[in-house]
Amino acid sequence: MTTLYVNEKTGVDSSEVKGTEQEPFATAAYALYTSANDDSVKILVYKESDEEKKSDVELASSKDKPEVEYVEISASALKKAKKGADGLKKKAEKQAAAAAKLKEESLNLPKVAELDLSSIEEDKSLPKAKKIKLASLQENIGIRVLVRGWVHRLRVQKGLAFITLRDGTGFLQCVLTGDLAKAKQTQELTIESTVAIKGVISKLPEGKTAPGGVELKADFYEILGLAPGGEDAFTNKIQENADPSLLLDQRHLTLRGESISAVMKVRASFLAAIRRVYKEEGLLEVTPPCMVQTQVEGGSTLFKMDYYGEEAFLTQSSQLYLETCLPALGDVYCVQESFRAEKSHTRRHLSEYTHIEAELAFLTFDELLEHIETLIVKSVQYVLEDPVAGKLIEQLNPGFKAPQLPFKRMEYIEALQWLNDRNILNDEGKPFSFGDDIAEAQERKMVDTINQPILLTRFPVEIKSFYMQKCKDDPRVTESVDVLMPNVGEITGGSMRSYNYDDLVAGFKRENIDPAPYYWFLDQRRYGTCEHGGYGLGTERILAWLCDRFTVRDCSLYPRFTGRCKP
Ligand code: 4AD
């Protein structure tokens, strides 16, 4: 038979307590409750002795300790205790039910919110998904496809998620529903993460818009690379109105933006168009060296380098090398990086730029001008006809009008007159006089006002390079040309070349250049010289004009200019 002790004063009603004489319960009801109302349980209740009723003062003076006395519970007290035990039992049952309910709820709740993407299986009964790039959406309407790319835009709602996917060739709106949308990973997805999505492409219903007028209803998707969220989130790193220098530090990320990537696509289209025109015009592509020991456009902008102990430079222009190709290959061109240690921090100067240069033999200055304007008009036409680049130019440069042949021709001397007539002064604050360079600002003012392409010709000998052919009717000026475009200014510089050996040597002398390292170039005038000319076209400058960019820096993948060589 079990005996349980109850002491109202020192006992505790707790499951931690055993109900022994040393650890009594506080109430008989609790004692009964712990024994599940077992009738055979004997309950002893503590009864205060007379001694204990004495005051503390009396006790302190008394030598005897009070006697502890337990007596069996009275029948009436037991009845009362039984009632209490029943109440306790009911209360406990209620609490247990509530806890169980809470537990079940808590089990169910996270189940929905924390549905794991990896637990969602692909429906194998669906047709095999065809791997496609986003450029080919229209050809794949109604087909189950697999698309992979970066999360360009994201909208996650309850039970629905919209991902605008980007893969570099295009954009696609993908819709996730049901478990795919509810999954924990979808709820926590971030911009610029990489994903692989399977589903069927369908045309959008009337009134709804998305890139290409289509969307993909996802039936399965995986996250391939989760991009950071929080402080490191892409949108925190690339903020639209951030300082341009901070954006350039993050160029590897800003490239992903719609405008810069659009310019890069136009750039690719333009380079393809230029090559197409050269092919049509019968020019051959060559690849001259970038590491050289000669200058072309003046020593002040040379990047010097140590070449196994010898002095060498990064090329300023491939012109001299192109000239050597004429007897071997006929008319030639190159698309090559040129380097200029420009001190000027202007919006149209880079330290490294992609230089499109050509050299043509047996032609007159007028023929050279016609060739240049044809090249520009045709290459722009081809870019505009390109379904991708043409659309991008419409976005970047709304209202752009393709240039028409022939370009306006203007001589240097006429330009001086034009400027002086409008009181536009030279850099010294004086009216222009023969021999003055027309600086960037004044040149821009003129071409922006005239607002059409200009072939500016016949510059004075002293402001042009050593190799330029003098005009037969006026030896003070050269057979030279700059192509000027509104908003940018000069995009091309070219000339006929001195084809007489002595004239060329005189040119070196005039510019204080030692002709010795140019022995190979001078040989062109010894081993069968010919009338020839060429030009250089700055890729980033023509793009700044075509795409209406404020600076050429926006037209280079990773622009290099004074103080910037990263990333
Ligand atoms: O006028 P430039 O210096 O001419 C030459 O280099 C000739 N040797 C080319 C030739 O006849 N083969 O440069 C030609 C073009 C300019 O009109 C301009 O478009 C571009 O190259 N250019 C620059 N672009 C960006 N940054 C710079 N620092 C540039 N310097 C020239």
Side-chain angles (χ1 to χ4, degrees), residues 316-366:
Q316 289 176 313
S317 157
S318 299
Q319 177 195 324
L320 309 190
Y321 290 94
L322 292 184
E323 287 188 48
T324 67
C325 296
L326 294 176
L329 304 167
D331 298 344
V332 284
Y333 77 95
C334 68
V335 179
Q336 179 78 288
E337 297 299 276
S338 275
F339 304 87
R340 305 279 170 106
E342 299 280 3
K343 310 289 181 292
S344 40
H345 217 84
T346 80
R347 58 173 157 135
R348 68 177 196 185
H349 284 96
L350 292 166
S351 304
E352 174 180 352
Y353 69 98
T354 305
H355 207 170
I356 298 164
E357 294 183 273
E359 209 60 34
L360 300 100
F362 305 111
L363 86 172
T364 64
F365 183 44
D366 281 340

Side-chain angles (χ1 to χ4, degrees), residues 461 464-468 470 498 500-515 522 525:
V461 171
K464 284 292 179 184
S465 301
F466 67 90
Y467 54 76
M468 290 196 184
K470 289 178 186 159
S498 298
N500 175 285
Y501 184 90
D502 294 333
D503 285 351
L504 191 53
V505 171
F508 281 125
K509 203 163 175 201
R510 189 182 69 240
E511 300 299 324
N512 258 329
I513 300 171
D514 173 13
L522 279 161
R525 278 66 180 168

